Structure formats: C-alpha cells, structure tokens
C-alpha cells in the first residue's frame, strides 16, 4: 500500500514511523509512507499557506491552491494512464465521519490513499467540496491539527495489511474486529504476588480455553461498552449469558 500525507509539519511523522511494526513494514516494502510539505506547493515568494477568513473572525484558513496542486501532482505522477477514480483522498477533521475499526478495514483494501492534515482554524471549504472524497474524525475532541489523527489512521490501517503483524490471525481477534472487546490476556509467571492466572488457561484444553475467552469477551463488553453488543453476532446461549448477568 502507498500512503501520501500532506501536512505543514512533515517532521512530526519521523519518529512514529521509524520504530517497531511500522519500521518493519516499511523495510519489507509492505507499505510506503510519503510525507509532503504543503508549503512546497505554494507559488508566491512568501510561501503562504493560510489567509484570513472571508467574513471575518479569528484564526487563519488553509488556502485551497497548494492543497489542490499537491494532490493533483501526486495523481498525475502515479496515474498518468489509468486514472485515479478509486483513490481515497481523506481530510482529517473533527467534522468527519467517526474512525472505527470498520473504517480501518475499509481503507486497508485500497492500494493507495492520500491523507490531508488540516491546521489552524480550518481548511477552505472548496477543498472539502471539490477535492476530498471523505472526511475522517478520530473522536469527538479537537486536536490542534490533523497530524496526530493521520498517525492514528495510518497505524490502525497498516497493521491490518497482510504480512505486517507476525501472525496472520491476530488482527482478526482484535477488540472491535469481532464486534466485542478482547478477553483478558496473561503471560508468565503463572502466579505473581499471589495473583494466579485462571486455571483453564493452563489446562491445555483448547475448546475450554476458546469458550472461556469468548465468555470473557462478552462479559467485558457488557461491563465496559454495552452498546457494542447490539451489533455483535451472538448465539442464543450467549444472549442468555448476558440476560443472566443483567439480572444478577
Ligand atoms: N483535527 C483536529 N481534531 C481532529 C479530530 N478529532 N480528528 C481528526 N482530525 C482532527
């Protein structure tokens, strides 16, 4: 997958992408992440990227020209023949569609995505209307810019790409992928300060372990994020388990 990120602060992206799973994915060429400074696409001598809002008001607005030109130069670089209809161009903004695990799966299917990081008080509306194909918010709070949000999106998407995580199966067990939160996990030692690992996990009985994990996923979701259960795929027996808990 190729990811292009338009930002006024490319240096913010250096450290997150140079460690761990991410670094390995880049080294193995499973993903390429390119940051582009929006300022490099200005044409005036002062390299102006923002301006006052028409109609007045505090704060500066990101100008449309450098953002359009950056995206268009990227498209013409790569898609000179094929066209780029299926290329998502995403604006990170608190006004966007909420970023969920479902959206990570959706984005992980593309060969190429472009992310635009907003800054200051906003982005000229024509960027939203005539350039971007989708707007993404990582939550109901306001960050000082889209950069941290873009890192969240890129991290969550890249770990789903085939070969990026050691075990192919692990992203499927993630909290939210199953519609449920993940079950409790333990490692050695089996007893620590008198707190023991549940016996069933030491039993080697895989069917029992799977049953225990499923039940804990359900109970943990009930306790912490009950609204997720409405969409989860539960058997009759599992629904009864929940009703029993609710009554007790
Ligand atoms: N930019 C500022 N706040 C944001 C948010 N919550 N999500 C995405 N981009 C943002």
């Amino acid at each position: 997958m190729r990811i292009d990120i338009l930002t006024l602060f490319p240096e913010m992206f250096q450290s997150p992408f140079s460690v761990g799973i991410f670094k390995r994915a880049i080294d193995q060429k499973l993903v390429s992440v390119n940051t582009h400074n929006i300022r490099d696409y200005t044409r005036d001598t002062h390299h102006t990227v923002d301006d006052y809002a028409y109609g007045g008001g505090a704060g500066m607005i990101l100008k449309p020209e450098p953002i359009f030109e950056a995206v268009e130069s990227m498209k013409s670089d790569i898609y000179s023949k094929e066209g780029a209809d299926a290329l998502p161009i995403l604006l990170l903004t608190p006004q966007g569609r909420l970023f969920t695990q479902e959206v990570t799966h959706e984005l992980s299917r593309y060969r190429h995505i472009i992310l635009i990081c907003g800054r200051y008080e906003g982005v000229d509306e024509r960027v939203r209307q005539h350039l971007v194909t989708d707007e993404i918010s990582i939550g109901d709070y306001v960050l000082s810019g889209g950069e941290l949000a873009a890192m969240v999106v890129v991290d969550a998407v890249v770990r789903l790409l085939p070969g990026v995580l050691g075990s192919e199966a692990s992203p499927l067990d993630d909290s939210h992928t199953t519609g449920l939160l993940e079950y409790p996990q333990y490692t050695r030692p089996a007893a620590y300060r008198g707190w023991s690992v549940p016996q069933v996990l030491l039993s080697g009985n895989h069917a029992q372990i799977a049953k225990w994990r499923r039940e804990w996923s359900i109970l943990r979701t009930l306790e912490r994020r009950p609204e997720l259960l409405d969409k989860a795929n539960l058997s009759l027996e599992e629904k009864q388990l929940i009703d029993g808990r609710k009554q007790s």
Side-chain angles (χ1 to χ4, degrees):
M1 174 182 246
R2 173 182 167 139
I3 301 174
D4 287 288
I5 303 170
L6 270 62
T7 168
L8 286 173
F9 301 102
E11 64 278 16
M12 282 181 75
F13 292 85
Q14 273 163 16
S15 87
F17 296 160
S18 62
V19 294
I21 286 173
F22 225 97
K23 179 176 184 318
R24 217 179 52 217
I26 292 172
D27 290 347
Q28 294 179 351
K29 304 207 180 334
L30 299 170
V31 64
S32 76
V33 184
N34 315 291
T35 51
H36 307 270
N37 195 331
I38 295 171
R39 207 173 286 282
D40 293 342
Y41 294 86
T42 54
R43 288 171 184 255
D44 63 316
T45 47
H46 295 104
H47 300 292
T48 315
V49 289
D50 57 351
D51 209 335
Y52 296 101
Y54 276 120
M60 304 293 275
I61 308 299
L62 286 182
K63 289 165 71 59
E65 307 96 308
I67 301 179
F68 270 85
E69 294 202 14
V71 170
E72 281 161 5
S73 81
M74 230 166 281
K75 279 195 195 168
S76 63
D77 262 10
I78 309 164
Y79 299 97
S80 47
K81 295 192 201 81
E82 321 160 33
D85 293 346
L87 169 65
I89 301 168
L90 311 171
L91 176 68
L92 282 312
T93 159
Q95 298 181 19
R97 139 170 107 109
L98 196 60
F99 188 59
T100 61
Q101 192 63 10
E102 234 172 300
V103 181
T104 66
H105 283 281
E106 182 190 313
L107 295 179
S108 70
R109 293 187 199 109
Y110 289 99
R111 282 174 47 210
H112 183 194
I113 57 178
I114 295 179
L115 302 174
I116 303 172
C117 305
R119 272 268 149 184
Y120 305 122
E121 298 306 310
V123 174
D124 187 284
E125 186 65 17
R126 288 162 290 191
V127 170
R128 298 178 191 277
Q129 286 185 341
H130 304 294
L131 184 66
V132 308
T133 59
D134 201 359
E135 300 181 32
I136 302 275
S137 164
I138 63 161
D140 290 339
Y141 40 80
V142 180
L143 302 165
S144 52
E147 282 76 9
L148 289 171
M151 289 176 210
V152 168
V153 169
V154 171
D155 185 290
V157 169
V158 166
R159 60 187 293 288
L160 294 182
L161 300 178
V164 168
L165 293 185
S167 145
E168 291 282 335
S170 40
L172 300 177
D173 289 339
D174 285 344
S175 286
H176 299 297
T177 295
T178 56
L180 298 171
L181 300 185
E182 211 178 348
Y183 46 79
Q185 299 268 34
Y186 298 87
T187 185
R188 286 190 285 187
Y192 176 65
R193 297 191 176 185
W195 302 308
S196 298
V197 173
Q199 197 57 40
V200 59
L201 299 179
L202 311 176
S203 68
N205 182 332
H206 297 297
Q208 285 295 320
I209 292 172
K211 183 166 177 284
W212 183 93
R213 287 181 164 168
R214 177 80 185 167
E215 280 181 15
W216 269 97
S217 272
I218 292 168
L219 294 177
R220 185 156 272 196
T221 310
L222 177 66
E223 184 185 289
R224 300 184 183 190
R225 299 288 306 278
E227 77 282 6
L228 297 177
L229 290 171
D230 298 340
K231 282 206 214 148
N233 212 346
L234 301 176
S235 68
L236 189 62
E237 206 177 302
E238 289 168 345
K239 286 183 183 147
Q240 285 165 351
L241 172 73
I242 292 172
D243 290 341
R245 278 298 163 126
K246 280 184 181 160
Q247 280 155 22
S248 64

